[in-house]
């Protein structure tokens, strides 16, 4: 069994040490401090969102050149421009310059001010694409953040709002980001490609993150999930639940999957369905998996039974990989560990996702195998 687990990748324990000179203090920086620094220069469109988030937290200016310069349609995509507008809304004093072709971007971050924000997310990417960044930034803002995001809540590309609500919020609480203000609420559900959903996200200010020690994931004690459907028959969600349970019941009896069928104005503009599953261990570790139906007019349609079984198998694979943080939240955990106090944090991760691999190139880290 140990040999099989090792074949999936070496399990690494990360000891994250934050130096006072690693990142400028998030709360006291302003445009004057960042203007005295030389801009970091990158090329290409890969990890653009990640670079802008880290730039905002560190106060360092960035220049990104040759953004899809050789493509038939060069420059920034609409969803990336929408993300930049969102950053501008949650900061004060940011300076953003984009050339005429959109292939070069200069970003000088301002002060993270927070407050009430409403943003229309581009439907090319789901709200999860934007919400992930807000989760990284919100605890370090000057004022508590209350954001209303409108667009696509579920698609096959990005983490859904349901998954972030079930896994990212508990992870934030582990780092000391608590309070009644921490909440992700799905007011309207919108499926790709036309969207029509609405999500409310609120987060209090956290002046200091606390270190964590997550080295023992523990055994699975229960599985919870949400099967959703909009603008289709309510039986679609029931069929998803039955097919998922047919796989998971072989391993554990404590399974409960909620069905969420929204109607009318709350159901968005496009039909679809999907499933989000979360396995919880005796030590509080949360491992997740999800699948969404093929967007209308894009690719071959998928049956609810097939979707439910495939999602259950994805959850079993995530459990098999192990770790105290699931693949979707590895980068979030590492970011919080970087920004915590002058103490040591430890966490056990399974095989690293490509997104997390890129994170490691941007922060000093001691790796213990």
């Amino acid at each position: 069994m140990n040999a099989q687990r090792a074949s999936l990748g070496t399990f690494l324990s990360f000891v994250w040490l934050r130096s006072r000179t690693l990142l400028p203090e998030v709360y006291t920086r302003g445009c004057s401090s960042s203007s005295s620094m030389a801009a970091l220069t990158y090329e290409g469109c890969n990890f653009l969102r990640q670079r802008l988030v880290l730039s905002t937290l560190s106060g360092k200016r960035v220049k990104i050149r040759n953004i899809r310069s050789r493509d038939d349609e060069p420059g920034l995509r609409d969803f990336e421009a929408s993300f930049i507008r969102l950053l501008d809304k949650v900061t004060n004093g940011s300076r953003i310059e984009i050339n005429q072709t959109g292939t070069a971007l200069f970003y000088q971050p301002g002060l993270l001010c927070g407050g009430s924000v409403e943003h229309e997310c581009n439907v090319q990417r789901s709200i999860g694409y934007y919400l992930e960044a807000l989760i990284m930034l919100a605890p370090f803002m000057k004022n508590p953040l209350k954001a209303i995001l409108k667009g696509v809540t579920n698609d096959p590309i990005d983490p859904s709002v349901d998954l972030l609500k079930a896994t990212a919020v508990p992870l934030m609480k582990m780092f000391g980001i608590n309070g009644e203000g921490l909440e992700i609420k799905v007011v309207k559900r919108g499926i790709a490609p036309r969207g029509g959903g609405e999500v409310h996200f609120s987060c209090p200010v956290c002046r200091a993150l606390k270190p964590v020690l997550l080295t023992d994931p523990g055994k699975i004690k229960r599985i919870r999930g949400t099967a959703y459907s909009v603008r289709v028959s309510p039986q679609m969600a029931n069929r998803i639940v039955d097919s998922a349970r047919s796989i998971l019941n072989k391993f554990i009896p404590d399974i409960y999957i909620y069905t969420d069928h929204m109607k009318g104005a709350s159901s968005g503009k496009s039909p679809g369905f999907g499933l989000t599953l979360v396995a919880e261990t005796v030590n509080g570790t949360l491992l997740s998996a999800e699948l969404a139906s093929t967007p209308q007019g894009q690719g071959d349609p998928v049956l609810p039974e097939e979707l439910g079984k495939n999602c259950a198998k994805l959850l079993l694979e995530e459990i098999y990989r192990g770790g105290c943080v699931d693949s979707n939240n590895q980068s979030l955990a590492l970011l919080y560990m970087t920004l915590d106090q002058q103490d040591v944090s430890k966490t056990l991760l399974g095989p690293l996702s490509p997104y997390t691999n890129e994170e490691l190139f941007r922060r000093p880290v001691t790796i213990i195998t």
Side-chain angles (χ1 to χ4, degrees), residues 144-187:
L145 177 66
K146 294 182 179 180
I148 299 176
L149 304 177
K150 299 180 180 180
V152 175
T153 58
N154 304 84
D155 72 352
I157 302 175
D158 299 299
S160 70
V161 178
D162 302 279
L163 186 141
L164 294 175
K165 179 180 179 180
T167 59
V169 171
L171 182 62
M172 296 173 72
K173 293 180 179 179
M174 291 182 183
F175 283 90
I177 306 171
N178 286 317
E180 298 179 357
L182 181 59
E183 182 186 22
I184 297 177
K185 182 179 180 181
V186 182
V187 178

Side-chain angles (χ1 to χ4, degrees), residues 1 6 47 60 121 124 126 189 198 237 259 278 304 315 324 349:
M1 183 65 179
F47 306 104
K60 294 182 179 180
C121 303
Q124 292 178 352
S126 78
R189 193 177 293 278
E198 182 177 323
T259 57
V278 179
L315 179 64
C324 295
L349 302 179

